[in-house]
Amino acid sequence: MIGLQAEVNIGLLGHVDHGKTSLTQAITGKWTDTHSEELKRGISIRLGYADASIYYCKKCKSYSCSEKCACGSKTTLKRRVSFLDAPGHETLMATVLSASSIMDGAFLLIAANESCPQPQTEEHLMVLNILGIKNIVVIQTKIDLVSKEEALIHYKQIKEFLKGTIAENAPIVPVVANKSINISSVIEAMENFIPTPERDKDAPPLLYVSRSFDVNKPGTSIQKLKGGVFGGSLSSGTLKVGDEIEIRPGLEFNGKINPIVCKVSSLHCDGGPLKEAHPGGLIAVGTTIDPYFTKGDALMGTVIGAPKKLPDTTHILSISYNLIKRDFNNPYIKKGEVLVISVQTTTTIGTISESSKKELTIKLKRPVCVDTGSTVAISRRVSQRWRLSAWGTTK
Ligand code: ZN
């Protein structure tokens, strides 16, 4: 069987316990945080995502994820979508930022039984603002836990919260995800507000790695070992089984970072194996390298491309930057400060070696492979937590 690859990535954002996993299950029929299934499926679940096929019934003019509509008519396939779930219990903004760098659009979930905004809701909307992710559907969850009047007051709070932000004109869809109520409206809003972006399939391939792993069971004989696997999303170009690829920054040897050159040995999406992968949707790329190197996300944050086509690897970033207005003291960044730096799918510690009110030079602990014009998010330590504080653009 050849899998059908998703064409768009939609992130699920929102405060912890605001119903991300229930919504994913209501739409796709799958849990993104099930670990028993991970053992069986090996690859796709580890990416923290689930794919769904979106169907349309011409008779009812309604959307669903089923080949057959509730009215009995046969539906037509519109497209396939990957949902990325930033782990619900994860308080590290780094995970959200790295997932956001491969999102084409987002669902922002806001639970009706808590006042809006909760701290993480606010930070997640900041991430969408910074990364310029403007295709957003706001989902008001858990409306069965409040009265109609309370739900309407909460709706007004959401409207007020979104005012002047990138999500100002986003639709707000009320749902009860664990009872699958109003899910078709969520899908309809997604179809109307989160289009598949135009992508260049003929450009050289560029894939941001969001996971890396070893799919072999302990004790597998050398002859049966499968090479290291990378999870991520192609932002341009295509990848075929047998293609020669380069992975940057690569591996450190004797104090020097060397790019890895290897071959694509397999391609998978949630729908099954692929001969060729195109932009959009999450994929797993099997390679010919020793799986020891990809174990436990060791090569997360790397970039895959055609040999000699990727940007240079660097430990130094020069950026122009802007502070974010926060509810904590957030002064200009000073020389010598140690911060958490997120760029593409990489998160690392950085020390400021030069600073002015508009520009920074940052020495990174982990090298990165980035182009000019990439967005950089900066988090600062505020009372034992890393809080999003500034953002900038690489020069
Ligand atoms: Zn129908």
Side-chain angles (χ1 to χ4, degrees):
M1 181 191 117
I2 296 294
L4 176 64
Q5 193 191 333
E7 57 184 72
V8 61
N9 293 329
I10 298 175
L12 299 168
L13 297 176
H15 199 69
V16 64
D17 288 336
H18 278 199
K20 284 175 273 186
T21 312
S22 306
L23 184 73
T24 316
Q25 198 198 23
I27 297 174
T28 67
K30 265 182 252 178
W31 291 91
T32 49
D33 60 1
T34 300
H35 288 280
S36 58
E37 201 170 342
E38 175 179 317
L39 292 172
K40 279 186 269 164
R41 302 276 309 274
I43 293 171
S44 57
I45 302 300
R46 294 272 287 265
L47 297 170
Y49 82 104
D51 277 3
S53 296
I54 308 301
Y55 295 90
Y56 183 69
C57 173
K58 283 181 196 144
K59 202 173 150 199
C60 309
K61 297 190 170 55
S62 74
Y63 291 95
S64 70
C65 288
S66 168
E67 289 175 32
K68 209 173 170 190
C69 179
C71 76
S73 307
K74 206 175 168 327
T75 53
T76 30
L77 178 66
K78 299 300 279 186
R79 62 175 177 171
R80 234 172 122 76
V81 172
S82 276
F83 291 102
L84 280 68
D85 188 6
H89 51 269
E90 185 61 79
T91 52
L92 273 178
M93 279 305 290
T95 317
V96 176
L97 282 160
S98 105
S100 303
S101 66
I102 54 173
M103 284 176 194
D104 303 307
F107 285 173
L108 182 63
L109 278 67
I110 307 178
N113 64 336
E114 287 186 330
S115 68
C116 171
Q118 293 292 311
Q120 268 177 286
T121 315
E122 205 172 359
E123 288 210 318
H124 289 185
L125 183 58
M126 276 175 207
V127 171
L128 296 173
N129 255 319
I130 290 170
L131 295 174
I133 300 171
K134 58 182 194 305
N135 298 327
I136 300 165
V137 175
V138 175
I139 301 171
Q140 188 189 23
T141 58
K142 306 194 182 187
I143 56 158
D144 57 328
L145 301 182
V146 296
S147 68
K148 186 182 168 188
E149 290 71 29
E150 287 167 327
L152 287 169
I153 291 167
H154 184 257
Y155 173 86
K156 283 185 187 146
Q157 285 179 355
I158 298 176
K159 271 303 220 193
E160 192 56 38
F161 164 59
L162 301 179
K163 209 182 251 177
T165 72
I166 200 163
E168 180 159 19
N169 299 314
I172 301 170
V173 184
V175 297
V176 182
N178 58 7
K179 297 190 182 84
S180 289
I181 295 168
N182 214 23
I183 298 302
S184 62
S185 301
V186 171
I187 301 173
E188 188 175 339
M190 174 179 84
E191 291 303 292
N192 292 331
F193 287 85
I194 310 179
T196 298
E198 292 275 330
R199 308 192 210 252
D200 192 354
K201 284 185 189 173
D202 301 320
L206 185 63
L207 181 139
Y208 297 115
V209 175
S210 56
R211 306 291 310 265
S212 83
F213 36 91
D214 171 4
V215 294
N216 301 288
K217 289 194 187 78
T220 306
S221 66
I222 290 173
Q223 293 81 357
K224 287 186 178 163
L225 272 186
K226 288 201 167 66
V229 179
F230 295 82
S233 199
L234 271 170
S235 65
S236 65
T238 50
L239 275 181
K240 292 186 201 73
V241 174
D243 277 356
E244 190 167 83
I245 51 169
E246 186 173 292
I247 300 157
R248 275 182 184 258
L251 293 168
E252 195 174 326
F253 186 70
N254 280 346
K256 203 173 163 269
I257 309 275
N258 298 295
I260 305 164
V261 177
C262 61
K263 278 192 171 168
V264 175
S265 57
S266 69
L267 291 165
H268 277 86
C269 69
D270 195 37
L274 300 166
K275 276 186 179 158
E276 190 177 305
H278 55 74
L282 278 149
I283 56 167
V285 181
T287 67
T288 50
I289 72 166
D290 188 331
Y292 170 81
F293 296 118
T294 53
K295 215 188 259 182
D297 288 327
L299 289 175
M300 170 184 169
T302 54
V303 179
I304 296 180
K308 300 197 178 15
K309 295 274 186 199
L310 291 171
D312 289 337
T313 293
T314 180
H315 271 96
I316 309 286
L317 284 185
S318 289
I319 67 166
S320 52
Y321 88 105
N322 308 280
L323 286 171
I324 300 171
K325 199 166 173 278
R326 297 302 316 254
D327 55 2
F328 50 83
N329 183 30
N330 193 26
Y332 285 107
I333 293 169
K334 291 183 288 292
K335 189 174 170 178
E337 266 196 77
V338 178
L339 304 161
V340 169
I341 307 298
S342 306
V343 55
Q344 291 161 1
T345 52
T346 302
T347 293
T348 184
I349 296 283
T351 308
I352 305 301
S353 51
E354 302 213 25
S355 78
S356 71
K357 286 184 177 178
K358 286 187 171 161
E359 289 172 7
L360 298 173
T361 305
I362 312 166
K363 190 170 186 310
L364 302 174
K365 195 173 177 202
R366 255 180 97 163
V368 290
C369 170
V370 288
D371 252 330
T372 51
S374 297
T375 303
V376 178
I378 300 171
S379 305
R380 206 173 216 169
R381 200 173 177 89
V382 181
S383 51
Q384 308 302 314
R385 268 190 65 202
W386 290 103
R387 307 288 300 274
L388 193 60
S389 303
W391 69 279
T393 313
T394 55
K395 292 198 289 186

